[in-house]
Amino acid sequence: MTGEVGLRERKKAATRAALSAAANRLAVELGVEHVTVEAIAAAADVSPRTFHNYFSSREEAIVASIIDWSERLIDELELRPADEPVWDSLQHVYLGTLDDSPAARDRMIAQIDMVMANPTVIASQLAAFDAMRRRFAAAIAARTGTDAGRDLYPHLIAGAAAQAVKTSMELWAHGLTDRPLREMVAEGFEQFRAGLPQPGRQPG
């Protein structure tokens, strides 16, 4: 029975991923306004009814990869040594998922341009990032003995880590730097750990 449940869950995850990938590809190729649920379902080789079993809208499908990415990161975070400093753990799991190849850069540019051209997708993306932050805060609270329902600490750490990654991705994708993405993210984490000292000044 356990094996059957596991297989069923893997099939569901694969269908969800296929729908999200199809939604993203069509949105980039055609523009969000020209993408329909029927087209997404057809590209993923499922029915529109199956689409609605997973997502309530095309926008939700487009940004679903953010939620799925956060779940993978949290799974990795929970496997890190319990006595490892939380910033070390977060840096390890984030850097382990980043692709800074030229092809990845091109995909990220197309993705950012597609999102920024559509206000409804921007709203869905912001909601997805907020859900990601809350998931990370809960995981960080469990590692640090804090309470995500009461304490600032896990939320601030989760938000800072996500912002370091997001900002690095945006600068890297838009060609404002030729530094590797992983190097930028690692520096962002290091600056947060140091308390964001002003450049050119020694911490007092």
Side-chain angles (χ1 to χ4, degrees), residues 137-152:
I140 291 167
R143 289 181 62 86
T144 59
T146 54
D147 183 347
R150 181 189 62 199
D151 297 327
L152 283 169

Side-chain angles (χ1 to χ4, degrees), residues 2 22 30-31 47 62 64 67 71 80 84 87 90 97 121 134 142 154-155 162 165-166 181 192 195 200:
T2 301
L30 306 175
S47 68
I62 288 169
I67 299 297
E71 294 294 347
R80 299 302 301 167
E84 184 177 56
W87 274 114
L90 287 167
T97 67
V121 179
R134 286 185 277 107
H155 294 279
V165 175
K166 182 175 181 291
L181 176 59
F192 274 119

Side-chain angles (χ1 to χ4, degrees), residues 33-53:
E33 67 276 12
H34 299 299
V35 178
T36 64
V37 167
E38 289 75 15
I40 296 170
D45 198 26
V46 299
S47 68
R49 180 177 179 180
T50 297
F51 174 94
H52 287 296
N53 288 337

Side-chain angles (χ1 to χ4, degrees), residues 197-202:
Q198 183 174 321
R201 292 189 179 183
Q202 296 297 321

